[in-house]
Amino acid sequence: MTLSLYSDEHYMREALKQARYALAEDEIPIGAVVVLERQIIARAYNQTEKLRDVTAHAEMLALTAAANHVGNKYLSDCTLYVTIEPCVMCAGASAWAQVQRVVYGAHEEKRGFRRHGNLLHPRTELATGILAAEGAELMQQFFAQKRK
């Protein structure tokens, strides 16, 4: 099976690469990319331990990089791809940035934003479940290693 260059799966695979970088650095393995006009304009992974910053989630870092790339705090023509359901903070940041579309892989039962209702911008489209098993597997690996 070949993927279209512009499919959700293609961009989610790029986010999964970022999550693997996080895993290699002993960070919670979540990755994110921001896409504008079929081009990835920002990539990031969780760096809360490395930066000693509780806000250094993949989504936050990717949104900041994307805003710097476009020269605007609003990302209304962008799609945020993230391997795991964003937390309340990251969903709120995507709402403030007016992201056009949020696509995530696996649900996050404990800290995912959807437990609290729809926190995205009213015009933001949401797609879920894209390569969810791959993102969930990285999380399981990470936490299994922590329990050893």
Side-chain angles (χ1 to χ4, degrees):
M1 176 181 140
T2 59
L3 294 176
S4 164
L5 180 60
Y6 305 119
S7 69
D8 284 341
E9 291 85 5
H10 169 78
Y11 297 119
M12 189 61 75
R13 287 193 194 290
E14 293 299 315
L16 284 163
K17 285 181 188 176
Q18 296 298 307
R20 287 185 195 94
Y21 294 145
L23 184 63
E25 293 184 15
D26 202 30
E27 298 274 1
I28 294 175
I30 298 175
V33 298
V34 178
V35 174
L36 173 65
E37 297 174 353
R38 300 180 177 171
Q39 297 294 316
I40 295 174
I41 62 169
R43 303 168 193 266
Y45 57 91
N46 275 3
Q47 296 182 45
T48 59
E49 299 299 326
K50 178 180 182 178
L51 299 177
R52 295 185 178 127
D53 179 356
V54 297
T55 69
H57 291 194
E59 302 95 322
M60 300 295 283
L61 298 172
L63 291 171
T64 298
N68 288 333
H69 178 85
V70 299
N72 192 336
K73 65 183 178 180
Y74 297 115
L75 302 172
S76 54
D77 294 325
C78 294
T79 299
L80 170 66
Y81 289 87
V82 61
T83 56
I84 302 295
E85 179 181 348
C87 70
V88 170
M89 174 183 67
C90 295
S94 74
W96 284 109
Q98 299 180 15
V99 172
Q100 180 180 43
R101 191 166 177 250
V102 172
V103 179
Y104 71 79
H107 295 290
E108 213 309 331
E109 299 300 324
K110 293 181 182 175
R111 298 187 186 249
F113 79 92
R114 293 184 74 188
R115 291 185 62 217
H116 305 280
N118 185 10
L119 303 177
L120 302 177
H121 190 277
R123 289 188 300 270
T124 298
E125 298 170 29
L126 179 64
T128 68
I130 307 300
L131 301 179
E134 289 89 334
E137 173 62 27
L138 290 173
M139 295 288 279
Q140 290 166 356
Q141 281 181 281
F142 176 80
F143 287 108
Q145 185 64 32
K146 289 294 177 191
R147 286 190 288 273
K148 286 185 179 179

